[in-house]
Amino acid sequence: VTSNMLSVNNVMMNDTGEYICIVTSEAGIASTSVILSVVPYNITLSAEPSPKVAFGGNVTLTCSSEGGPSLNYTLVTPNKGNVTTQMLPVSNVITDDAGVYYCVVTSEAGTSSLNITITVGVSIVTNPVDQEVLINESVTFSCL
């Protein structure tokens, strides 16, 4: 190309690579380069209501993507293997459910993936309530 601009329309996977700009003049030669990385899909992986889950709680992982019509979704879990689905509900979460979950999207154009870390911990379901009592009375606080 003998121009100061290069446009690549309808970018494909094989357009990935290094592009070099070389400028020549009476004063000499200068060059610079840029790397183009092409990913087949823009993936979103969410954990609702949160990736921080209370022991015994519930979480739903949802994988979505902007792309062509023939997309295949796989959720890779730390303890359940590969699940061919876009949505994975996990009920009565235990510590073994903690870990890194991957969303893998594949089609003829290629493969893209994204991960999210699920943590499992203890949470307080019922907070103690402030109380005011007189001297010599009894008081009880509960916390679950």
Side-chain angles (χ1 to χ4, degrees):
V1 177
T2 57
S3 168
N4 66 345
M5 187 179 302
L6 171 66
S7 295
V8 181
N9 298 317
N10 299 316
V11 173
M12 300 298 288
M13 292 300 293
N14 61 359
D15 292 319
T16 295
E18 180 180 23
Y19 290 79
I20 301 171
C21 173
I22 301 172
V23 178
T24 59
S25 74
E26 295 171 0
I29 298 175
S31 68
T32 187
S33 65
V34 64
I35 301 293
L36 174 63
S37 299
V38 181
V39 293
Y41 315 106
N42 182 21
I43 298 175
T44 304
L45 177 58
S46 63
E48 297 295 333
S50 170
K52 296 178 181 179
V53 186
F55 186 89
N58 302 316
V59 64
T60 300
L61 298 162
T62 304
C63 178
S64 59
S65 178
E66 299 169 6
S70 299
L71 300 178
N72 299 305
Y73 294 88
T74 302
L75 281 166
V76 180
T77 70
N79 66 353
K80 294 178 176 64
N82 298 352
V83 183
T84 306
T85 185
Q86 280 185 262
M87 185 178 295
L88 177 66
V90 182
S91 302
N92 299 315
V93 170
I94 59 174
T95 53
D96 285 350
D97 293 319
V100 180
Y101 288 72
Y102 294 87
C103 170
V104 181
V105 180
T106 58
S107 81
E108 295 174 358
T111 300
S112 287
S113 66
L114 185 67
N115 68 59
I116 191 169
T117 300
I118 299 297
T119 57
V120 178
V122 176
S123 70
I124 296 174
V125 177
T126 304
N127 289 310
V129 177
D130 295 339
Q131 297 186 38
E132 183 177 300
V133 296
L134 295 172
I135 295 175
N136 292 326
E137 287 186 341
S138 298
V139 65
T140 302
F141 295 98
S142 64
C143 177
L144 299 173

